[in-house]
Each structure stands twice: as structure tokens, then as C-alpha cells.
């Protein structure tokens, strides 16, 4: 499998006459944390740069390389054990995450999270390398996204992580498509799955099935469409484990959104995960951005609601809420964004997590950030 990546590295390193397409962004962001149970206050500052490169070798062959570079310093690096080592970890088959420099409270990391070659052969498209496989239909929780599950709270990584593998897509019609994907992770576990997308009854549908991490058989269905003027979407996934002591896992998300004439956008979504506990033990995994298809949330039932409104053409605000019944836990998250220039944005984020533990103790975790981001 490793040899599949060698042609990509070689082709992208050649001196070519045509111009390589490039874009990206640079951002700086201080972040503050308060974790109640360890009674810990921390902060960090992040300089985040992304560079996207692509080159058309021919009308039927395209190469892409994308880099994520982060300079992080602060108490999180100094006081959280293994923080720098965690940044250096790569979940893919190839290790393409590198700590270029590190100190007591500083770390500089470079990650190659996209590196692929696309081959177009009529109605066939073959992509080899590190890529993003996005099978999700919902906005917050994606049970169908078995390759690239992500956390809603990882607000500074809109591109999401990629996987190492091969993807074959066949365009069977104007609104239909069949595809097959093979993924290998850092532990040499394979995920092999297929999906078929089609349109029926004014809805876009997808059916998927396969083998997840050499451990689970998976089957799923997803849809997106409209009820009147409101968007309506959802995903269902069923996992069958090879382990005798593991029950089947059913994960379902359903959501809707509606945009008023005033441009106010309202959205609601619900998630059910049969394998998760009813009571919330904590929010550490959500805050850290870790997620998998088996752990999309922290409790069996999760409910989300949000509102977004452009106060002016340059200034937008949003408010997100989550509840986790029957536990007394909830999430509160306002954010604002101001466009200083067409390619320069100032944003603020606040994440507040409140929970009542089994010992009837109320805990409050906090995360706040201020980000300045320039696109080029």
C-alpha cells in the first residue's frame, strides 16, 4: 500500500512548465480553557497556516498536496502530558505529521493532510492517496461518515482530516453515482466500503455497506431533501461487531433547517447512539476534537439547535445549543464573525459545557477563542 503514494510524491516534485495553483490562509488565535473537574485554567496561542497546491498534469490527471502548519505555545503545551506527542501522531497508514521544533511550552507541527492523484477515465474517477471521504448528509453528527468522523467543536479545522486509501467513483447518471473506497490506518486496519447515490421522490438518497476497521460490518442509509421550504436530512448506520460481547450498534441523526426572508437561518438536529451511556461523564473528548463513528457524542441522546443571522453584510452572529437528556447537561456556544476586508476575517468563539455528575456535583467547562484569519 505504501508504494501507491510514491508516484504522487515523485510527480509533485517534478519541475513543470505550467503554473502550479496555490491558495490557503494564515490565522492567529489565542484560546482560553477552564476545566472544572481538574480545576485547571490554561491558555495557548496558535498561528495556523494552510497551503493548498494543485497541478494539472493533463486533462485526465490532477495532483494535489495540502499542508497544515501550526505553531502553538502556552500552558496547554507545557502542562498537558504528551501534548506535543499527540500533535505528532498521524492516524493514517503513512506518518505525515512532523514536529519540526518543540520546547517546554512551544511546538511547531507540519501535517500533510491531503496528497493525492486523480485519474479521470470517462465516467470513472480514480483517486489514490491521502484524501477526505465525506459521506455525511447531516450538519452536526454524521453516522454515515465512517471514514472521517469529526467533532463539531473542532472549529479551527474546517477541512477535516483525511484518510490514506484508494477511491473509485463511477458516475452512472445525472444524479446517480457508485463508489468504492479502501482505507488503511496506522495500525494496518482496513476499511472497505461502497456507496450508491441516487435521486428518487425529489430526495437524494444513499445506501452504503462494508467492513469497518477489520472489526465491524456496517450498513447505512442517508437522505437529503425538502419538506416545503425547509431542508430535511438524516442518516442511519448499523454496526455489527465480530466480538461476541459486543451488541449491534445503531446510530441515527435527523435534522432540518429553514431560512427566513430576513436571512435568519434556524437549524435543529437530533442524534441517537445505542452504544453510548445515558448520563454524561464529561466533555473532554468533545473539547479535544476527538471523534469516531462509535462516539459522535457523549450520551445516547443528543439534541442540537442553532440560529445564524447576518446583522450586516459584514457582520454575522450565531448561537448553538445542545442538550443531552435525560442527564442535566447542556452546551451553549455563541460566535461572531466580522469581515474586515474581503479576505480578512475576525471571529470569536465561546463554548460553555455544563454537567451534573453522578455525585450531584455541577461542573462547568469553558473554551473561548479570538481568531484573525487571512485568505490568500
Amino acid at each position: 500500500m505504501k508504494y501507491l503514494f510514491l508516484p504522487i510524491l515523485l510527480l509533485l516534485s517534478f519541475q513543470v512548465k505550467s503554473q502550479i495553483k496555490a491558495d490557503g490562509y494564515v490565522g492567529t488565535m489565542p484560546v482560553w480553557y477552564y476545566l472544572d473537574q481538574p480545576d485547571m485554567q490554561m491558555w495557548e496561542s496558535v498561528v495556523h497556516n494552510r497551503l493548498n497546491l494543485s497541478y494539472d498534469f493533463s486533462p485526465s490527471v490532477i495532483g494535489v498536496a495540502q499542508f497544515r502548519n501550526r505553531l502553538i505555545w502556552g500552558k496547554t503545551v507545557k502542562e498537558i502530558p504528551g501534548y506535543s506527542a499527540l500533535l505528532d501522531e498521524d492516524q493514517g497508514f503513512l506518518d505525515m505529521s512532523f514536529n519540526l521544533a518543540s520546547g517546554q511550552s512551544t511546538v511547531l507541527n507540519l501535517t500533510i493532510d491531503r496528497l493525492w492523484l486523480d485519474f479521470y477515465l470517462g465516467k470513472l474517477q480514480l483517486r489514490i492517496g491521502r484524501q477526505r471521504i465525506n459521506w455525511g448528509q447531516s450538519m452536526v453528527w454524521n453516522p454515515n461518515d465512517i471514514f472521517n468522523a469529526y467533532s463539531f467543536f473542532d472549529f479551527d479545522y474546517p477541512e477535516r482530516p483525511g484518510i490514506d486509501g484508494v477511491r473509485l467513483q463511477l458516475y452512472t447518471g445525472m444524479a446517480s453515482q457508485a463508489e468504492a473506497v479502501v482505507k488503511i490506518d496506522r495500525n494496518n486496519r482496513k476499511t472497505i466500503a461502497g456507496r450508491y447515490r441516487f435521486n428518487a421522490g425529489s430526495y437524494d438518497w444513499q445506501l452504503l455497506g462494508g467492513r469497518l476497521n477489520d472489526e465491524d460490518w456496517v450498513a447505512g442509509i442517508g437522505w437529503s431533501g425538502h419538506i416545503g421550504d425547509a431542508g430535511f436530512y438524516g442518516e442511519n448506520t448499523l454496526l455489527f461487531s465480530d466480538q461476541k460481547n459486543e451488541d449491534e450498534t445503531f446510530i441515527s441523526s435527523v435534522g432540518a433547517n429553514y431560512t427566513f426572508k430576513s436571512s435568519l437561518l434556524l437549524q435543529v438536529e437530533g442524534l441517537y447512539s445505542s452504544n453510548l451511556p445515558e448520563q454524561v461523564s464529561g466533555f473532554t473528548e468533545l473539547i479535544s476534537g476527538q471523534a469516531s463513528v462509535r462516539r459522535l457524542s457523549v450520551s445516547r441522546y443528543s439534541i442540537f439547535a442553532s440560529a445564524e443571522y447576518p446583522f450586516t453584510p459584514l457582520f454575522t452572529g450565531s448561537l448553538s445549543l445542545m442538550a443531552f437528556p435525560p442527564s442535566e447537561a447542556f452546551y451553549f456556544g455563541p460566535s461572531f464573525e466580522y469581515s474586515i476586508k474581503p479576505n480578512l476575517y475576525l471571529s470569536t468563539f465561546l463554548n460553555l459545557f455544563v454537567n451534573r455528575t453522578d455525585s450531584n456535583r455541577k461542573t462547568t467547562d469553558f473554551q473561548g477563542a479570538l481568531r484573525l484569519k487571512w485568505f490568500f
Side-chain angles (χ1 to χ4, degrees), residues 145-184:
D145 203 356
I146 61 175
F147 290 98
N148 292 121
Y150 65 90
S151 170
F152 170 79
F153 301 98
D154 195 359
F155 53 83
D156 199 38
Y157 193 17
E159 297 82 12
R160 311 303 183 191
I163 61 102
D164 292 341
V166 178
R167 180 185 192 185
L168 181 64
Q169 299 179 81
L170 173 63
Y171 298 92
T172 56
M174 291 292 294
S176 61
Q177 171 192 340
E179 65 180 288
V181 179
V182 178
K183 164 197 170 183
I184 302 182

Side-chain angles (χ1 to χ4, degrees), residues 3 12 16 34-35 58 88 96 105 131 139 141 147 158 173-174 177 184 225 228 245 255 331 357:
Y3 297 106
L12 290 176
V16 291
Y34 174 71
L35 303 180
S58 73
D88 194 41
M96 291 194 282
S105 58
Q131 55 192 285
M139 303 297 178
W141 298 291
F147 290 98
M174 291 292 294
Q177 171 192 340
I184 302 182
N245 59 344
Y331 157 77
T357 65

